[in-house]
Amino acid sequence: MDRATQIGIGLGLFVIIGANVMEGGHPTSLLMPPAMLLVFGGTIGAAVAGGTMQDAKNAVKSLRKALLWKPVPPAELVPVVVKLADKARREGLLTLEDAVSDVDDDFLKRGVSLAVDGTDPEELREILEGELYAKKAEDKHAAKFFNDMGGYAPTIGIIGTVMGLVHVLENLSRPDELGHLIAGAFVATLWGVMTANLFWLPIGSRLARLGELERARMEIVIEGVLAVQAGNNPRVVAQRLASLLPAGQREPEPKAA
């Protein structure tokens, strides 16, 4: 898996706890169950209320994807498609039906299957691009759910602080407890701001980035399948697909002797 999210969140928590200890605090002083329950529960509730139940269910899958999924660079698909183009040019398009069974990319399998079945090129492009647009919408909703949580969390934290301060005012007759009560009140704001900027917004950004990488792979597939169907020269296919990649992901061209 790609551990960027785990490393980033872990580093952020380490710095925050370390800074708290350096200032003379104790890590357990930040672990106040009422404040944490309010911030986490209230944030999740607000996010669920802003969408549909299906969005909430998808968010659980998206969270697992953000933490555990390893993105596959789009560049890795180029040699696979070029190999298929070479086979189709030498042995015919129908021979790809068996060759594509070893490919791990489901989208590429569907595209090649449609091409082998004799689907019209324009219709084939429309079908594949339709899946691309649907994927884009799905990724947008997944990222939006966590970005919304990042927007709600600080406000929920402020609500917790206000509730704590109300409790402080109710206990003015006991000045020896005011310091502890005031500190506890502001812990809710800390958790609201911290979870928003350390958990929810980074996860939303992570999902958006993973979506970009997946859509880049799908674009490679669309152009590659159409080129294979048209019987283009494998070298031309390779150059066409390489042009869709960022410069840093392209294989260097061999130098002339």
Side-chain angles (χ1 to χ4, degrees), residues 73-86:
E76 291 190 7
L77 266 184
V78 174
V80 177
V81 176
V82 172
K83 183 178 179 181
L84 293 175
D86 182 56

Side-chain angles (χ1 to χ4, degrees), residues 5 7-17 150 191-203:
T5 302
I7 292 173
I9 292 177
L11 177 62
L13 288 173
F14 176 79
V15 170
I16 291 173
I17 294 173
W191 274 98
V193 175
M194 183 176 68
T195 55
N197 293 279
L198 199 57
F199 297 162
W200 312 133
L201 293 178
I203 289 175

Side-chain angles (χ1 to χ4, degrees), residues 27-215:
T28 57
S29 64
L30 306 179
L31 300 177
M32 292 192 173
M36 296 171 65
L37 176 63
L38 175 69
V39 170
F40 279 96
T43 300
I44 294 173
V48 171
T52 66
M53 285 306 302
Q54 188 60 48
D55 292 336
K57 294 177 182 178
N58 291 339
V60 177
K61 299 178 182 178
S62 298
L63 179 60
R64 189 182 305 114
K65 175 180 177 180
L67 296 176
L68 302 177
W69 191 67
K70 180 181 179 180
V72 181
E76 291 190 7
L77 266 184
V78 174
V80 177
V81 176
V82 172
K83 183 178 179 181
L84 293 175
D86 182 56
K87 185 175 181 63
R89 189 175 177 86
R90 288 186 292 104
E91 303 177 18
L93 190 61
L94 294 178
T95 61
L96 298 185
E97 192 167 8
D98 294 330
V100 79
S101 61
D102 297 330
V103 176
D104 293 331
D105 193 285
D106 292 335
F107 188 59
L108 178 56
K109 286 183 179 180
R110 289 195 297 275
V112 172
S113 296
L114 289 170
V116 170
D117 290 341
T119 307
D120 180 78
E122 289 299 324
E123 186 176 356
L124 177 57
R125 178 180 288 276
E126 290 179 3
I127 293 173
L128 297 181
E129 288 184 346
E131 290 195 36
L132 175 64
Y133 296 145
K135 177 62 179 172
K136 183 177 182 179
E138 179 185 352
D139 295 336
K140 180 179 179 181
H141 286 300
K144 180 181 181 299
F145 188 91
F146 290 96
N147 288 333
D148 287 347
M149 290 179 69
Y152 295 136
T155 305
I156 300 295
I158 292 174
I159 292 174
T161 297
V162 172
M163 291 171 59
L165 292 177
V166 169
H167 190 53
V168 169
L169 296 176
E170 292 175 346
N171 291 273
L172 291 178
S173 59
R174 293 181 287 180
D176 55 319
E177 298 182 9
L178 292 183
H180 176 72
L181 292 174
I182 292 173
F186 283 101
V187 166
T189 296
L190 171 65
W191 274 98
V193 175
M194 183 176 68
T195 55
N197 293 279
L198 199 57
F199 297 162
W200 312 133
L201 293 178
I203 289 175
S205 297
R206 164 81 166 181
L207 290 172
R209 177 56 180 153
L210 293 180
E212 289 177 356
L213 292 175
E214 287 186 279
R215 294 194 299 274

Side-chain angles (χ1 to χ4, degrees), residues 3 21 64 88-89 118 220 226 230 239 255:
R3 299 184 182 274
V21 172
R64 189 182 305 114
R89 189 175 177 86
I220 292 288
L226 290 171
Q239 293 177 348
K255 296 181 179 181

